[in-house]
Amino acid sequence: MHTFQPCPIEVFESNPFTLLSNDWGVLTAGNHEKTNSMTISWGGFGVLWNKNVCYIFVRDTRYTKGFIDSCGTFSLTFFQKDFNRSILMYLGSVSGSRENKMKMTHLNINYADGIPFIDEGNLVITCKTLASSKITPESLIDSEIETTHYKDGDFHTMYVGEILQILAR
């Protein structure tokens, strides 16, 4: 296992617009008995309810959603630029309900205060879920969003997570 050091949020210098959309992250949720990870590229960071937060979007059909709902915590792991992108694509396209993604990718799970994350990353953000809100057709003001992103009816749930800690390797 790698050694991670706490990174004070005041010195966190990643671009919030590219960290998820361009660099991708791996969302991991679960406990010591069972975890699941998936690639995400939608979300952001900010301040809400006087707390530093991140917000992420998980489709209702994703296996990881059940882990977030039951555990109430999750992590986001980010990797160096030269990390094997095909592994990230695999984590985002294969369901952990059908196969052991960690075994297939040779990635390892580590824990920070009981919250699982991918040990091979170089930046980890652990979060406690504060709120969730299901995206519905009625909640969309721009109808083009539904026709472009939800043709199959597989909507997202938005999770707001309080950032508990940032760890860097």
Side-chain angles (χ1 to χ4, degrees):
M1 295 289 165
H2 295 98
T3 301
F4 287 83
Q5 301 297 320
C7 174
I9 202 158
E10 299 80 26
V11 299
F12 182 61
E13 292 186 1
S14 292
N15 182 329
F17 295 101
T18 61
L19 190 60
L20 287 169
S21 64
N22 294 348
D23 300 340
W24 297 357
V26 174
L27 166 66
T28 303
N31 54 40
H32 285 282
E33 288 80 46
K34 191 157 178 115
T35 64
N36 196 62
S37 299
M38 62 176 270
T39 305
I40 62 169
S41 61
W42 287 5
F45 300 90
V47 176
L48 182 62
W49 304 310
N50 298 319
K51 297 175 186 277
N52 296 312
V53 300
C54 72
Y55 55 95
I56 58 169
F57 296 82
V58 179
R59 289 194 187 272
D60 293 341
T61 57
R62 295 305 297 255
Y63 185 56
T64 308
K65 185 181 184 310
F67 289 89
I68 298 171
D69 291 341
S70 65
C71 294
T73 58
F74 60 89
S75 70
L76 301 175
T77 303
F78 300 93
F79 301 85
Q80 293 179 341
K81 298 278 187 217
D82 61 352
F83 186 78
N84 186 341
R85 193 84 159 178
S86 65
I87 290 175
L88 298 178
M89 292 173 67
Y90 170 82
L91 291 174
S93 62
V94 173
S95 176
S97 66
R98 291 192 288 271
E99 60 186 74
N100 184 334
K101 294 196 277 187
M102 295 303 103
K103 182 178 178 184
M104 297 301 290
T105 58
H106 304 287
L107 295 175
N108 297 288
I109 297 291
N110 198 342
Y111 296 86
D113 298 323
I115 302 172
F117 65 90
I118 306 295
D119 190 60
E120 286 76 11
N122 67 334
L123 178 69
V124 174
I125 300 172
T126 63
C127 300
K128 175 179 81 171
T129 306
L130 296 176
S132 66
S133 181
K134 184 170 173 44
I135 305 295
T136 64
E138 300 77 33
S139 68
L140 298 171
I141 295 169
D142 182 344
S143 62
E144 188 176 307
I145 294 171
E146 183 178 1
T147 58
T148 303
H149 298 285
Y150 300 109
K151 292 177 193 167
D152 60 0
D154 188 13
F155 285 84
H156 286 94
T157 295
M158 178 183 71
Y159 292 93
V160 177
E162 177 183 6
I163 297 173
L164 299 175
Q165 64 179 328
I166 299 174
L167 302 170
R169 188 155 62 102

